[in-house]
Amino acid sequence: MSQTPIELKGSNFTLSVVHINHSQPDVVLAALQEKIAQAPAFLSNAPVVVNVSSLNNTVDWKSMYHAVSSSGLKIVGVSGCKDEQLKVQILSLGTPLLNEGKAPVQKSTPTPQIVDEPTSTKDPEKVLRTRIIDTPVRSGQQIYARNTDLIVTSSVSAGAELVADGNIHIYGNMRGRALAGASGDQNAQIFCSHLAAELVSIAGEYWIMDQIPGDYFSKPARLALREGSLAIEPLN
């Protein structure tokens, strides 16, 4: 038995992010209800992060909070807040303000090195191994590839979930859910030899089964983000 009554540990969770682009709570509520009706198994009572980067202090945050909650979604935090007065409104309701991650680092032109560093001295933590699953992924299972790509050489059943911070490759039948770029990597992609998924998602942008174009359903396909939206093409 542990010597302390609690333990504080770090962990990672996959959460959907709701980007609010309208200041009227009733309009947002109607849009959320429509979206939830399209994928009730995935979205009903789902924990979400609300992104308010498009809003300012003119919004009635209390009404907006209740609109989102009325849809059935459970707000666990707010991200993207740039307005100080809006931050005060958000914090007054006890809602945590979240940081979505580090801003991209601008890369400068590298300076040529005179002496090559021996391979044996490289930091081993920077060498990330792709996670490979050779067995079928059954309904109810979740496979998470943290900070790397995920390759599944077998089938993925309906009700199973694949999550990766990088790319996802499925070489068998894909009938479950695939969430690539789970930590926000918009360059992540999904590769399927037989696409019949319940849901596909890249960096929070997702399609449910009915939104997958019919020409690609049950066929080899490749999904990526193009200008912030999901795009699909044949897998050659």
Side-chain angles (χ1 to χ4, degrees), residues 158-170:
E161 186 170 81
L162 307 179
V163 183
D165 289 335
N167 305 304
I168 296 179
H169 304 253
I170 307 105

Side-chain angles (χ1 to χ4, degrees), residues 130-148:
T130 299
R131 184 170 183 183
I132 301 176
I133 304 297
D134 291 320
T135 57
V137 184
R138 305 298 185 187
S139 179
Q141 283 187 285
Q142 184 192 69
I143 307 295
Y144 176 35
R146 178 182 297 178
N147 297 328
T148 190

Side-chain angles (χ1 to χ4, degrees), residues 144-150 163-169 179-183 185 187-190 201-202:
Y144 176 35
R146 178 182 297 178
N147 297 328
T148 190
D149 294 348
L150 175 62
V163 183
D165 289 335
N167 305 304
I168 296 179
H169 304 253
L179 297 88
S183 61
D185 183 3
N187 294 316
Q189 299 188 37
I190 298 173
S201 171
I202 298 177

Side-chain angles (χ1 to χ4, degrees), residues 25 50 52 59-69 75-78 85-97:
V50 176
V52 296
V59 68
D60 182 349
W61 174 249
K62 185 175 182 179
S63 297
M64 185 66 73
Y65 179 94
H66 288 305
V68 176
S69 299
I75 302 175
V76 299
V78 175
Q85 293 183 18
L86 180 55
K87 287 182 180 179
V88 172
Q89 289 191 58
I90 293 169
L91 292 173
S92 69
L93 292 182
T95 311
L97 287 169

